[in-house]
Amino acid sequence: MDTLFRSLDLIEPGDLVIYSGSIESHHGLWLAVPCGCGICHRLDQFGLAEVRFALVDPWGERSGPHHARRESITRSAACG
């Protein structure tokens, strides 16, 4: 099953990703975790399927963008 997810290039919690979204100052390497904010939580409760991510610095030095859309991130080659 893990191979199937990887072959589809799906983002899983804890994956290293490259952010290339609208906040240019935050472009670069992050860890993707499910966004746990109240807005995303309520959207999930309503059954909306769009998954959003909070991006965390792999070295623990700064927090990244929240509500990052799947279109704004790509899996890092380091995950493969």
PDB file of all heavy atoms in Angstrom, residues 15 17 22-23 39-40 48 50 62-63 65-66 69 72 75 78-79:
ATOM      1  N   ASP A  15       5.891  13.907   5.720  1.00  0.00           N
ATOM      2  CA  ASP A  15       6.688  13.937   4.490  1.00  0.00           C
ATOM      3  C   ASP A  15       7.443  15.257   4.373  1.00  0.00           C
ATOM      4  O   ASP A  15       6.924  16.319   4.743  1.00  0.00           O
ATOM      5  CB  ASP A  15       5.805  13.794   3.254  1.00  0.00           C
ATOM      6  CG  ASP A  15       5.470  12.360   2.903  1.00  0.00           C
ATOM      7  OD1 ASP A  15       6.036  11.441   3.537  1.00  0.00           O
ATOM      8  OD2 ASP A  15       4.640  12.156   2.005  1.00  0.00           O
ATOM      9  N   VAL A  17       8.448  18.188   2.137  1.00  0.00           N
ATOM     10  CA  VAL A  17       7.846  18.786   0.952  1.00  0.00           C
ATOM     11  C   VAL A  17       8.552  20.086   0.609  1.00  0.00           C
ATOM     12  O   VAL A  17       9.226  20.685   1.449  1.00  0.00           O
ATOM     13  CB  VAL A  17       6.336  19.059   1.152  1.00  0.00           C
ATOM     14  CG1 VAL A  17       5.571  17.768   1.379  1.00  0.00           C
ATOM     15  CG2 VAL A  17       6.087  20.040   2.283  1.00  0.00           C
ATOM     16  N   SER A  22       1.933  30.884  -2.501  1.00  0.00           N
ATOM     17  CA  SER A  22       1.862  32.336  -2.666  1.00  0.00           C
ATOM     18  C   SER A  22       2.738  33.130  -1.690  1.00  0.00           C
ATOM     19  O   SER A  22       3.005  34.301  -1.938  1.00  0.00           O
ATOM     20  CB  SER A  22       0.406  32.793  -2.533  1.00  0.00           C
ATOM     21  OG  SER A  22      -0.098  32.449  -1.258  1.00  0.00           O
ATOM     22  N   ILE A  23       3.180  32.529  -0.598  1.00  0.00           N
ATOM     23  CA  ILE A  23       4.033  33.241   0.365  1.00  0.00           C
ATOM     24  C   ILE A  23       5.497  32.991  -0.024  1.00  0.00           C
ATOM     25  O   ILE A  23       6.115  32.027   0.423  1.00  0.00           O
ATOM     26  CB  ILE A  23       3.760  32.785   1.807  1.00  0.00           C
ATOM     27  CG1 ILE A  23       2.277  32.899   2.135  1.00  0.00           C
ATOM     28  CG2 ILE A  23       4.599  33.609   2.794  1.00  0.00           C
ATOM     29  CD1 ILE A  23       1.894  32.281   3.467  1.00  0.00           C
ATOM     30  N   ILE A  39     -10.410  26.348  11.568  1.00  0.00           N
ATOM     31  CA  ILE A  39     -11.062  26.457  10.258  1.00  0.00           C
ATOM     32  C   ILE A  39     -10.967  25.120   9.512  1.00  0.00           C
ATOM     33  O   ILE A  39     -11.970  24.598   9.032  1.00  0.00           O
ATOM     34  CB  ILE A  39     -10.427  27.584   9.426  1.00  0.00           C
ATOM     35  CG1 ILE A  39     -10.694  28.933  10.089  1.00  0.00           C
ATOM     36  CG2 ILE A  39     -10.942  27.562   7.992  1.00  0.00           C
ATOM     37  CD1 ILE A  39      -9.896  30.077   9.506  1.00  0.00           C
ATOM     38  N   CYS A  40      -9.766  24.575   9.424  1.00  0.00           N
ATOM     39  CA  CYS A  40      -9.583  23.309   8.706  1.00  0.00           C
ATOM     40  C   CYS A  40     -10.302  22.164   9.411  1.00  0.00           C
ATOM     41  O   CYS A  40     -10.844  21.275   8.757  1.00  0.00           O
ATOM     42  CB  CYS A  40      -8.088  23.004   8.538  1.00  0.00           C
ATOM     43  SG  CYS A  40      -7.263  24.146   7.395  1.00  0.00           S
ATOM     44  N   LEU A  48     -15.847  18.242   3.745  1.00  0.00           N
ATOM     45  CA  LEU A  48     -15.154  18.734   2.559  1.00  0.00           C
ATOM     46  C   LEU A  48     -13.821  18.004   2.429  1.00  0.00           C
ATOM     47  O   LEU A  48     -13.044  17.920   3.369  1.00  0.00           O
ATOM     48  CB  LEU A  48     -14.943  20.245   2.638  1.00  0.00           C
ATOM     49  CG  LEU A  48     -16.249  21.049   2.730  1.00  0.00           C
ATOM     50  CD1 LEU A  48     -15.961  22.515   2.912  1.00  0.00           C
ATOM     51  CD2 LEU A  48     -17.093  20.820   1.483  1.00  0.00           C
ATOM     52  N   GLU A  50     -11.026  18.530   0.735  1.00  0.00           N
ATOM     53  CA  GLU A  50      -9.743  19.161   0.473  1.00  0.00           C
ATOM     54  C   GLU A  50      -8.863  19.138   1.722  1.00  0.00           C
ATOM     55  O   GLU A  50      -9.210  19.706   2.746  1.00  0.00           O
ATOM     56  CB  GLU A  50      -9.917  20.604   0.009  1.00  0.00           C
ATOM     57  CG  GLU A  50      -8.608  21.231  -0.368  1.00  0.00           C
ATOM     58  CD  GLU A  50      -8.762  22.628  -0.916  1.00  0.00           C
ATOM     59  OE1 GLU A  50      -9.827  23.228  -0.782  1.00  0.00           O
ATOM     60  OE2 GLU A  50      -7.779  23.123  -1.472  1.00  0.00           O
ATOM     61  N   ARG A  62      11.482  27.429  12.965  1.00  0.00           N
ATOM     62  CA  ARG A  62      10.388  28.361  12.676  1.00  0.00           C
ATOM     63  C   ARG A  62       9.175  27.602  12.180  1.00  0.00           C
ATOM     64  O   ARG A  62       9.278  26.495  11.673  1.00  0.00           O
ATOM     65  CB  ARG A  62      10.807  29.423  11.663  1.00  0.00           C
ATOM     66  CG  ARG A  62      11.122  28.878  10.295  1.00  0.00           C
ATOM     67  CD  ARG A  62      11.565  29.980   9.359  1.00  0.00           C
ATOM     68  NE  ARG A  62      11.794  29.441   8.035  1.00  0.00           N
ATOM     69  CZ  ARG A  62      11.557  30.091   6.927  1.00  0.00           C
ATOM     70  NH1 ARG A  62      11.093  31.309   6.955  1.00  0.00           N
ATOM     71  NH2 ARG A  62      11.777  29.539   5.758  1.00  0.00           N
ATOM     72  N   SER A  63       8.021  28.225  12.337  1.00  0.00           N
ATOM     73  CA  SER A  63       6.818  27.576  11.820  1.00  0.00           C
ATOM     74  C   SER A  63       6.536  28.163  10.441  1.00  0.00           C
ATOM     75  O   SER A  63       6.854  29.313  10.162  1.00  0.00           O
ATOM     76  CB  SER A  63       5.651  27.774  12.775  1.00  0.00           C
ATOM     77  OG  SER A  63       4.869  28.863  12.433  1.00  0.00           O
ATOM     78  N   PRO A  65       3.884  28.173   6.750  1.00  0.00           N
ATOM     79  CA  PRO A  65       2.504  28.512   6.393  1.00  0.00           C
ATOM     80  C   PRO A  65       1.513  27.472   6.908  1.00  0.00           C
ATOM     81  O   PRO A  65       1.830  26.294   7.032  1.00  0.00           O
ATOM     82  CB  PRO A  65       2.521  28.504   4.865  1.00  0.00           C
ATOM     83  CG  PRO A  65       3.944  28.535   4.462  1.00  0.00           C
ATOM     84  CD  PRO A  65       4.725  27.958   5.589  1.00  0.00           C
ATOM     85  N   HIS A  66       0.331  27.938   7.226  1.00  0.00           N
ATOM     86  CA  HIS A  66      -0.779  27.057   7.585  1.00  0.00           C
ATOM     87  C   HIS A  66      -1.775  27.091   6.435  1.00  0.00           C
ATOM     88  O   HIS A  66      -1.733  27.990   5.607  1.00  0.00           O
ATOM     89  CB  HIS A  66      -1.454  27.523   8.876  1.00  0.00           C
ATOM     90  CG  HIS A  66      -0.552  27.415  10.058  1.00  0.00           C
ATOM     91  ND1 HIS A  66      -0.327  26.229  10.703  1.00  0.00           N
ATOM     92  CD2 HIS A  66       0.198  28.337  10.687  1.00  0.00           C
ATOM     93  CE1 HIS A  66       0.517  26.424  11.686  1.00  0.00           C
ATOM     94  NE2 HIS A  66       0.857  27.704  11.701  1.00  0.00           N
ATOM     95  N   ARG A  69      -2.370  24.463   0.534  1.00  0.00           N
ATOM     96  CA  ARG A  69      -3.099  23.564  -0.355  1.00  0.00           C
ATOM     97  C   ARG A  69      -2.155  22.545  -0.970  1.00  0.00           C
ATOM     98  O   ARG A  69      -0.968  22.775  -1.112  1.00  0.00           O
ATOM     99  CB  ARG A  69      -3.767  24.356  -1.480  1.00  0.00           C
ATOM    100  CG  ARG A  69      -4.850  25.278  -0.987  1.00  0.00           C
ATOM    101  CD  ARG A  69      -5.349  26.136  -2.096  1.00  0.00           C
ATOM    102  NE  ARG A  69      -4.201  26.889  -2.630  1.00  0.00           N
ATOM    103  CZ  ARG A  69      -4.138  27.376  -3.843  1.00  0.00           C
ATOM    104  NH1 ARG A  69      -5.124  27.215  -4.681  1.00  0.00           N
ATOM    105  NH2 ARG A  69      -3.087  28.044  -4.243  1.00  0.00           N
ATOM    106  N   SER A  72       0.168  23.637  -3.652  1.00  0.00           N
ATOM    107  CA  SER A  72       1.291  24.512  -3.302  1.00  0.00           C
ATOM    108  C   SER A  72       2.512  23.757  -2.836  1.00  0.00           C
ATOM    109  O   SER A  72       3.550  24.367  -2.582  1.00  0.00           O
ATOM    110  CB  SER A  72       0.871  25.484  -2.191  1.00  0.00           C
ATOM    111  OG  SER A  72      -0.178  26.313  -2.642  1.00  0.00           O
ATOM    112  N   ARG A  75       6.220  16.689  -3.016  1.00  0.00           N
ATOM    113  CA  ARG A  75       7.064  15.818  -2.198  1.00  0.00           C
ATOM    114  C   ARG A  75       8.507  16.041  -2.575  1.00  0.00           C
ATOM    115  O   ARG A  75       8.855  16.121  -3.747  1.00  0.00           O
ATOM    116  CB  ARG A  75       6.695  14.353  -2.408  1.00  0.00           C
ATOM    117  CG  ARG A  75       5.386  13.985  -1.756  1.00  0.00           C
ATOM    118  CD  ARG A  75       5.016  12.526  -1.913  1.00  0.00           C
ATOM    119  NE  ARG A  75       5.978  11.682  -1.230  1.00  0.00           N
ATOM    120  CZ  ARG A  75       6.751  10.793  -1.835  1.00  0.00           C
ATOM    121  NH1 ARG A  75       6.707  10.631  -3.130  1.00  0.00           N
ATOM    122  NH2 ARG A  75       7.594  10.060  -1.143  1.00  0.00           N
ATOM    123  N   ALA A  78      13.851  13.549  -1.417  1.00  0.00           N
ATOM    124  CA  ALA A  78      14.415  12.874  -0.262  1.00  0.00           C
ATOM    125  C   ALA A  78      13.439  11.844   0.335  1.00  0.00           C
ATOM    126  O   ALA A  78      13.832  10.964   1.073  1.00  0.00           O
ATOM    127  CB  ALA A  78      14.822  13.876   0.810  1.00  0.00           C
ATOM    128  N   CYS A  79      12.142  11.961   0.003  1.00  0.00           N
ATOM    129  CA  CYS A  79      11.134  11.029   0.514  1.00  0.00           C
ATOM    130  C   CYS A  79      11.142   9.711  -0.238  1.00  0.00           C
ATOM    131  O   CYS A  79      10.641   8.718   0.247  1.00  0.00           O
ATOM    132  CB  CYS A  79       9.730  11.628   0.403  1.00  0.00           C
ATOM    133  SG  CYS A  79       9.424  12.951   1.549  1.00  0.00           S
TER     134      CYS A  79
END
